[in-house]
Amino acid sequence: MWLTVMGPVRAWQDDTELELGPAKRQALLALLLVRSGQPTSLSTIIDVLWGQTPPSSAANVVYRHAAAVRRLLETPSVAGPSEDDTPATRLVRVSGGYRLDASPATLDLLRFRQLRGAAENMGGTGALRDTVRLLTRALRLSRGPTASGILPHIAQHPYFVAVDREYLTAVKEAAVIATAVGEPGSVLDILQPAAAQHPLDEILQAQLVRTLAATGRQAEALQAYHAVRARLDEQLGIAPGPELRSVHRDIMRRDAHTARLPSPAEPAEPARTRPQEPRRSLLRPSQLPPDVTDFAGRETELARLDELLPIDAPVPDDAGHLRPKPGRTHASPRPPVAIIGKPGAGKTALAVHWAHRIAPRFPDGQLHLDLRGLAPDRARVTPGEAQRTFLAALGIPAEEIPDDQGARTDLYRGTIAGLRLLIVLDDVTDADQIRPLLPGAPGPLVLVTSRDRLDGLVTREGARPVELADMSPAEARETLVRRLDSRRTGRPQDAGDRVDSIDDIAAACARPPLASVIAGAPSPLWTNGDIPCVASEFRARTVTLDAFSESGHADIRSVFAWSYQQLAPDTARMFRLLALHPGFGIAATTAASLAGAPLELARELLAELARAQLLTEEAPDLYVLHDLLAAYARELLRDTDRDGQRGLSIRRMLDHYVHTARAAATRLAPRRTEQWPLPRIQPRTTPEPIPDPERATDWLDRLLLPVLIPVAGEAATRGLHAHVCQLGLTLEVQLDRRARWDEQLALQKICLLSAEAQGDLWAAAHAHRALGFAQGRLGRPVEARTHLFRALSLFTEADDPRGQGATHRVLAFQANTAVRHDRALDHYGQALALYRGAGDTPGESSALNGIGRTLVLKGDHHAALDHCARAVELSSAAGDLNGQAAAHDGLGHAHHHLGEHDRALSHYRRALGLYRELSDRSLEADVLVHVGQTQHAQGYDDLAAESWERALSLLDALRHPEAGALRRRLAGLRAAAPRQASG
């Protein structure tokens, strides 16, 4: 008999395909096949086949289908029975369920695993070609997605998804090894359909791009890269991650190297004086926003900027090669260039446009950051935050960035010294905000935009200012014409009337580009083509509002007001309410909650604001309000809406964030999320739907974490203690997983202040414990112990054994970090007793696993196996996937140190599957590091390097501080490989 589940579920006896029966029977067979050799309980079968709403007859239906499957597997062969008369594949009734026994000779999945295991066990680099052949044989067993053809909602169950992930991992492994041995073409026919089925898997897409390039198909490789970049932007609203960027950079460097081989007549570049230590390999950032498509005018200012470009900046020659400009070079840092102008003058548009023009002269990259000078103080970007952002963009690991401002400035300036780097600092408050961001050595050019004249920067640092005056009538006319030409419909107009009217509109706008863009936005008047009527509207507007007025200039707010007056009442109210949001980007569901409107109506209102150029749609259902427009909306809100109405909108926004945060955290770690009672949700609040772990991760990273601290602060200011505590408890684990320890400290301090103000012992204890853990992560043991022992005291006073147990676990973790393993065992032992007394099975499992890991550190590996195995049993019984993954990782550790490497890898793979199911990228990376350690111990350094590369890609995406150490370990492994080969 031959059975397949890696593709459609099918069965053959000899050469005859067998009829499998109805859909539910096929699904049952598929489930038993993917769990071959493992018992599957009746409750699990019912859950997979019917989900949350099984019929009352579900058990009887399973019994009937199981009997039919057993008869199917016992179909006799035309060759007659085997010698022992025992079927090679059979269904066995076990306690509480069924087990299907098969072999690699009868089931494609087991054959796949057998071949893959043989490939992994091939020894020595000389056997890598055989490894590729075994892997490709295994991979060619697949005929499509696992169990394709069964009911779609069943095929999406984690049991089937896990097999798909297992297959994808093997595809990636095969591609890496095939490229390493010079046979990339051998896997291309496998890689391409896999990439087509998983278009958003960045690592898989990167392997496809790399393999295409390695086979000499450079154009196809670049086409594949640009296609996946577009998909990521359109569907997820994100840029390519480190893996894809690295592959693209390698291809471009290879092309550039081929295109720029020096001719005999070309002088060699002078050797640079190098520091004592070689410069680390840095990333090449490319952060400029898209150029302004309808940029018009400003020719005088562009010419002035070109004159200020330092003389030594390389320029492209006729062949496209970068060559230094002849003449004097800078022996000191280049002075910054500052574009100065009033609000709405077009500073950002000019800076971005010019930056794109000169970008080829800065081949080491372009950095860009909006410092948010017009925002409230707490929302402005500090110099320290900017330095961290830029250092991370250049590839500096987070743990290597000092907390001390002076030391961080030294690292920042040392890193960018000598780099031909363009740094654009947009919307600067004053000179003090950017002084720490200026280079201390020749190389980079800093371009600044500001409303402030930056006199101090000009005087002390020699900044070269370019002041933006009002646009000339011709420039203003050109800007408006470009906006209006696409809408030249409606009744005919006299050409002279049209030109005069456009001039009048531009004059009323005081000719700043932002006002002209808004004036040119769609409106009923424009649609009718009645430009003179619009001009009359502008001429009639004489209101002056102080917030944006400057002596001698018309009021830009009058332009905003004109556009605002065109809005329908509901749309105008939405515009005002958006000013209550504390962050840069706002989701459609958040806006719906602010307005108390149905989601579809909110989307219509947001789309209308975007069409009026009062809002920018950054990605599907994600919008950005320009800071100048936000300031205008805040003033409108203050003058138009009552305090009670504003307060209710803010309460709905906070309810939206708190309820969605709880749903997201529970989806990612259901047994690790503290269950504080949720505050009652206000009517007409719209939480974000969180259908799966991937959506939970995306929402947390993209929509909540950027505004977390302002949201928590707003809740605390309004005395909403339950909201504050819910955020602190819900997000503690998620912030730790992402290494966001500074934000953890800020959040938990807000929680602690709120708890102390309310006299809430339990909430204060949780905040102290979280603060202690974060301080320990940041290498501050004294502060950590102070918070942890205070937490222990408060949990004891509150009679909370679970809280005491959790605190002892943190103390144990920190004792192990300090290599005080006996003290760690004591704390874990106390935690174990407390959890058992409280009947907390997941907590008991965590404590047992902690004891096992500590015993590994002490060298008692057999005892460690016993504790970790018990942890697996307990977490499995409790349905705790996180606990199961952690315990399997612990078992892997113990087997690794006993030299039982195959068993270690088996447990690591189980842990990996669970963490991937939970979308826990941080712990997935952690286990991949362990896999690489075991592969290295086996002598499979190429596979170890691949595992560490995958882990590094995940850590880099998280900006995790452990990325630096792993990067160094990977570099050491690669450096050792040539020496071992030559030895």
Side-chain angles (χ1 to χ4, degrees):
M1 178 167 285
W2 178 247
L3 297 153
T4 67
V5 72
M6 297 182 71
V9 184
R10 302 173 73 179
W12 286 265
Q13 182 61 279
D14 301 320
D15 294 328
T16 303
E17 184 169 0
L18 306 179
E19 176 61 44
L20 300 184
K24 276 289 192 289
R25 186 179 305 163
Q26 293 184 39
L28 172 62
L29 176 59
L31 173 63
L32 296 169
L33 289 174
V34 297
R35 291 183 54 76
S36 177
Q38 304 174 63
T40 305
S41 67
L42 178 63
S43 61
T44 297
I45 295 171
I46 292 173
D47 177 66
V48 172
L49 297 188
W50 285 280
Q52 300 297 316
T53 56
S56 58
S57 60
N60 289 332
V61 173
V62 171
Y63 296 145
R64 289 199 303 273
H65 285 317
V69 169
R70 181 180 290 110
R71 290 193 297 272
L72 174 82
L73 299 177
E74 292 172 351
T75 301
S77 169
V78 295
S82 60
E83 292 183 4
D84 61 1
D85 204 27
T86 301
T89 305
R90 59 180 183 164
L91 184 63
V92 181
R93 190 78 165 89
V94 295
S95 177
Y98 297 90
R99 185 186 74 239
L100 190 149
D101 291 334
S103 73
T106 59
L107 176 60
D108 62 349
L109 178 58
L110 296 183
R111 178 61 175 158
F112 165 80
R113 288 171 175 166
Q114 181 188 54
L115 289 167
R116 189 180 176 202
E120 292 176 348
N121 291 328
M122 297 297 296
T125 57
L128 286 178
R129 284 185 170 80
D130 292 333
T131 300
V132 173
R133 293 186 183 94
L134 287 169
L135 282 174
T136 53
R137 283 176 60 194
L139 292 167
R140 289 196 171 93
L141 290 167
S142 173
R143 293 294 182 269
T146 302
S148 57
I150 68 171
L151 296 171
H153 70 278
I154 299 177
Q156 294 303 311
H157 192 277
Y159 285 135
F160 302 111
V161 173
V163 177
D164 283 332
R165 288 176 175 165
E166 185 179 351
Y167 174 81
L168 275 183
T169 300
V171 171
K172 296 169 188 176
E173 289 172 353
V176 169
I177 300 171
T179 302
V181 299
E183 297 180 355
S186 64
V187 297
L188 197 53
D189 64 320
I190 296 169
L191 193 54
Q192 286 177 313
Q197 289 175 16
H198 301 272
L200 298 177
D201 185 323
E202 291 194 56
I203 293 178
L204 182 65
Q205 298 298 328
Q207 296 285 14
L208 174 61
V209 173
R210 182 184 289 113
T211 302
L212 286 168
T215 56
R217 299 157 75 167
Q218 303 289 101
E220 288 182 60
L222 289 172
Q223 185 179 12
Y225 169 79
H226 290 300
V228 69
R229 184 178 68 173
R231 281 196 301 273
L232 291 170
D233 180 53
E234 291 169 3
Q235 298 183 36
L236 301 179
I238 61 173
E243 181 87 5
L244 272 167
R245 291 200 308 270
S246 175
V247 173
H248 181 249
R249 189 164 54 246
D250 289 345
I251 294 173
M252 298 307 293
R253 282 175 177 168
R254 194 177 305 131
D255 288 349
H257 176 73
T258 303
R260 294 176 56 189
L261 290 175
S263 64
E266 183 177 333
E269 184 176 342
R272 297 181 179 180
T273 302
R274 300 186 63 83
Q276 290 182 347
E277 293 185 5
R279 179 186 288 276
R280 70 170 77 228
S281 176
L282 297 174
L283 300 179
R284 182 185 178 276
S286 182
Q287 296 184 337
L288 293 180
D291 198 359
V292 182
T293 55
D294 55 358
F295 188 88
R298 296 301 189 192
E299 296 301 330
T300 301
E301 288 82 359
L302 286 168
R304 167 67 175 152
L305 289 167
D306 288 340
E307 291 174 2
L308 295 177
L309 188 64
I311 196 168
D312 58 326
V315 296
D317 62 14
D318 293 339
H321 301 153
L322 290 173
R323 299 182 186 278
K325 291 171 71 175
R328 176 177 58 86
T329 59
H330 281 272
S332 58
R334 294 168 170 164
V337 174
I339 299 176
I340 309 300
K342 66 181 182 180
K347 300 180 295 295
T348 298
L350 177 60
V352 170
H353 184 67
W354 189 60
H356 276 281
R357 279 176 44 160
I358 65 172
R361 308 187 186 192
F362 296 90
D364 290 323
Q366 304 89 40
L367 295 167
H368 175 275
L369 189 61
D370 180 359
L371 299 185
R372 309 202 65 200
L374 192 66
D377 288 348
R378 69 181 182 183
R380 292 175 185 164
V381 178
T382 66
E385 291 169 340
Q387 288 171 340
R388 283 187 183 276
T389 299
F390 284 159
L391 286 168
L394 290 165
I396 304 301
E399 83 279 6
E400 296 183 18
I401 302 175
D403 291 328
D404 177 72
Q405 178 64 57
R408 192 187 306 131
T409 299
D410 289 343
L411 174 62
Y412 169 76
R413 287 179 171 157
T415 301
I416 66 174
L419 294 180
R420 290 176 293 178
L421 190 69
L422 177 61
I423 304 172
V424 182
L425 304 174
D426 192 22
D427 198 10
V428 170
T429 305
D430 52 34
D432 290 338
Q433 190 182 22
I434 61 167
R435 279 200 174 98
L437 303 175
L438 300 179
L445 173 66
V446 175
L447 175 61
V448 174
T449 74
S450 181
R451 298 166 177 83
D452 189 82
R453 293 182 59 84
L454 302 178
D455 292 333
L457 198 70
V458 173
T459 302
R460 287 179 51 183
E461 281 78 21
R464 310 295 176 82
V466 175
E467 296 197 27
L468 292 192
D470 291 339
M471 297 178 74
S472 69
E475 289 175 325
R477 183 187 305 114
E478 184 182 358
T479 299
L480 274 172
V481 166
R482 289 194 182 191
R483 302 288 300 174
L484 297 174
D485 273 350
S486 62
R487 293 192 296 276
R488 292 182 64 179
T489 58
R491 65 177 181 80
Q493 297 166 4
D494 179 76
D497 287 346
R498 186 173 188 274
V499 171
D500 291 342
S501 298
I502 289 176
D503 286 344
D504 288 342
I505 296 169
C509 292
R511 291 185 283 274
L514 178 60
S516 298
V517 166
I518 293 175
S523 78
L525 292 176
W526 293 130
T527 303
N528 293 333
D530 199 344
I531 293 174
C533 182
V534 176
S536 176
E537 286 279 321
F538 270 87
R539 282 191 291 265
R541 217 167 257 292
T542 58
V543 179
T544 300
L545 299 171
D546 295 337
F548 297 107
S549 294
E550 293 188 16
S551 177
H553 296 285
D555 181 19
I556 192 174
R557 286 200 58 218
S558 66
V559 180
F560 293 167
W562 178 86
S563 188
Y564 172 76
Q565 292 293 339
Q566 311 302 312
L567 301 175
D570 285 348
T571 312
R573 177 173 175 268
M574 174 66 84
F575 175 68
R576 298 193 303 272
L577 291 175
L578 293 180
L580 296 172
H581 188 258
F584 191 59
I586 181 167
T589 49
T590 315
S593 298
L594 275 169
L599 180 58
E600 288 308 315
L601 174 59
R603 285 175 171 148
E604 292 176 10
L605 299 178
L606 293 168
E608 182 62 29
L609 289 172
R611 284 192 292 272
Q613 301 293 334
L614 292 172
L615 196 63
T616 301
E617 187 172 12
E618 188 94 337
D621 273 356
L622 181 64
Y623 294 84
V624 172
L625 184 64
H626 187 283
D627 54 5
L628 195 62
L629 288 164
Y632 174 61
R634 280 194 292 271
E635 293 193 3
L636 286 172
L637 185 72
R638 185 177 61 242
D639 296 337
T640 307
D641 299 85
R642 296 193 305 272
D643 289 346
Q645 293 174 327
R646 297 198 300 267
L648 186 57
S649 291
I650 291 173
R651 172 60 190 267
R652 286 195 299 264
M653 177 187 72
L654 296 173
D655 284 352
H656 159 83
Y657 277 121
V658 165
H659 282 258
T660 308
R662 170 75 164 267
T666 302
R667 180 70 71 177
L668 292 171
R671 305 283 177 171
R672 293 291 190 269
T673 303
E674 292 284 354
Q675 299 299 308
W676 177 275
L678 278 166
R680 184 176 63 86
I681 193 167
Q682 292 295 307
R684 296 185 297 162
T685 301
T686 307
E688 185 82 21
I690 305 292
D692 50 49
E694 291 77 12
R695 179 59 185 149
T697 297
D698 177 72
W699 184 84
L700 285 171
D701 290 341
R702 200 160 56 99
L703 298 177
L704 176 60
L705 295 186
V707 298
L708 173 60
I709 303 308
V711 164
E714 185 70 46
T717 300
R718 294 179 174 273
L720 299 175
H721 177 58
H723 289 71
V724 175
C725 288
Q726 186 64 242
L727 289 171
L729 292 168
T730 294
L731 297 173
E732 180 194 352
V733 169
Q734 300 307 321
L735 288 171
D736 183 69
R737 292 283 195 269
R738 290 160 172 75
R740 307 282 283 263
W741 298 317
D742 288 331
E743 287 153 280
Q744 183 86 278
L745 289 179
L747 175 62
Q748 300 301 338
K749 285 175 182 176
I750 294 172
C751 293
L752 182 57
L753 289 172
S754 180
E756 290 175 342
Q758 296 289 326
D760 189 335
L761 289 181
W762 191 78
H766 272 281
H768 275 297
R769 179 181 53 74
L771 285 167
F773 196 16
Q775 295 283 17
R777 291 286 206 188
L778 291 167
R780 303 165 186 166
V782 175
E783 295 92 332
R785 285 196 297 272
T786 300
H787 282 294
L788 290 171
F789 283 115
R790 179 61 179 153
L792 206 54
S793 173
L794 290 172
F795 278 128
T796 302
E797 187 177 348
D799 192 24
D800 182 358
R802 292 179 67 250
Q804 295 173 60
T807 308
H808 277 296
R809 282 176 48 219
V810 178
L811 285 163
F813 178 85
Q814 296 188 356
N816 274 331
T817 301
V819 200
R820 306 186 71 171
H821 304 313
D822 289 333
R823 176 169 293 186
L825 286 174
D826 178 60
H827 282 299
Y828 277 130
Q830 293 184 65
L832 182 61
L834 287 161
Y835 283 132
R836 280 176 174 166
D840 185 343
T841 303
E844 183 181 351
S845 168
S846 296
L848 283 167
N849 192 48
I851 292 171
R853 288 176 177 273
T854 306
L855 290 169
V856 169
L857 296 173
K858 287 174 64 66
D860 194 350
H861 307 310
H862 288 288
L865 285 176
D866 293 338
H867 285 83
C868 292
R870 179 61 179 151
V872 169
E873 294 174 6
L874 289 174
S875 55
S876 299
D880 179 8
L881 298 185
N882 274 284
Q884 293 176 54
H888 277 297
D889 188 40
L891 282 169
H893 266 301
H895 283 298
H896 170 86
H897 286 280
L898 285 167
E900 299 169 351
H901 297 135
D902 289 340
R903 289 187 176 183
L905 289 173
S906 174
H907 285 290
Y908 287 147
R909 290 194 183 101
R910 292 188 186 183
L912 272 179
L914 290 165
Y915 283 135
R916 286 168 179 162
E917 183 178 339
L918 293 165
S919 290
D920 194 326
R921 294 173 294 173
S922 175
L923 292 181
E924 180 185 348
D926 202 34
V927 177
L928 282 169
V929 171
H930 302 157
V931 170
Q933 290 170 338
T934 301
Q935 291 167 330
H936 177 54
Q938 290 178 306
Y940 302 145
D941 285 355
D942 288 343
L943 295 179
E946 168 63 14
S947 296
W948 288 348
E949 284 173 355
R950 289 156 59 195
L952 186 58
S953 176
L954 292 168
L955 294 176
D956 280 337
L958 293 169
R959 296 184 179 179
H960 200 287
E962 292 179 6
L966 181 58
R967 188 175 280 105
R968 289 190 292 272
R969 180 185 293 180
L970 185 58
L973 182 68
R974 288 169 173 159
R979 293 197 297 270
Q980 293 172 355
S982 62

